[in-house]
Amino acid sequence: MVYRISPENVRPPRGGPSGALAMVLVLAVVVGIWLLAGRDPGSSTFGGQDPDQRTAPAGEVAPNDPVSGLPYVSPVDLPLRVIDLLADVDTGANLPGGVTRRPLPNTTGVLPVQASSRYYIEYDVGGGALLVTGSRGERYYSDDAGATYARVGP
C-alpha cells in the first residue's frame, strides 16, 4: 500500500523560535549585560577587588572594615615600634629584639574565620601590643593582648 502525502495534508511548522535561535538570543543578552557592566569574566560582584581590600567610596573613610566588622586604625596612629615592625615584616628584615613571632590559631574568632589555623601570624611587640598579619596581606592591631583588634588601614 502506498500513501501519498498531498500538500493540503502537510501542516506547516509551528511558529516561534527554534532551540538554536533561543540559545543565540540568550547568549546575546548575557554578552550584552557583561559588556554594559564592564566586568571581566569571573570577576566578583564587588568591583573585582579582593574582599579584604575594599574601601569606602572616594573621599570617605569607612568606620569599620566591611569584611571583619572591626574598626579601622590608621597606620600613623600606631605606636612607633609597631610601625617599624610593619616595615620589617613587609621587607622581610630580621625582627627587632623582644618581638616574638608565632602562628595565631584564632580560636576566639575575634578575627575573620579562615580555613587554615596557620593563616594568621602574631607578632608580640610587648606591653600588650600585638600585630597580626594574614596570608593575604591584611593587618590587625591590638593594644590589649588580643582581647580586641582593629584593622590597619585603609
Side-chain angles (χ1 to χ4, degrees):
M1 178 184 275
V2 176
Y3 292 99
R4 295 185 189 255
I5 300 176
S6 65
E8 300 85 36
N9 294 335
V10 176
R11 289 186 292 169
R14 294 185 199 173
S18 67
L21 181 57
M23 287 177 47
V24 168
L25 290 174
V26 168
L27 182 61
V29 168
V30 168
V31 169
I33 291 171
W34 173 64
L35 289 173
L36 289 174
R39 303 225 189 319
D40 292 328
S43 67
S44 58
T45 58
F46 48 83
Q49 297 176 336
D50 178 16
D52 292 331
Q53 301 301 320
R54 288 182 281 179
T55 57
E60 295 180 29
V61 175
N64 291 337
D65 174 33
V67 174
S68 66
L70 296 172
Y72 279 115
V73 61
S74 174
V76 298
D77 293 333
L78 296 173
L80 186 56
R81 66 181 188 268
V82 176
I83 294 171
D84 291 341
L85 177 60
L86 275 171
D88 291 341
V89 169
D90 288 343
T91 61
N94 292 332
L95 296 178
V99 174
T100 59
R101 177 186 191 270
R102 64 182 168 265
L104 176 70
N106 190 30
T107 55
T108 61
V110 175
L111 298 174
V113 177
Q114 301 295 333
S116 171
S117 63
R118 295 191 168 270
Y119 182 87
Y120 295 110
I121 301 295
E122 176 185 77
Y123 299 88
D124 188 344
V125 185
L130 299 174
L131 175 67
V132 176
T133 62
S135 295
R136 286 186 271 163
E138 61 270 33
R139 312 275 196 237
Y140 300 94
Y141 173 70
S142 174
D143 59 3
D144 57 8
T148 60
Y149 285 94
R151 172 81 188 260
V152 179

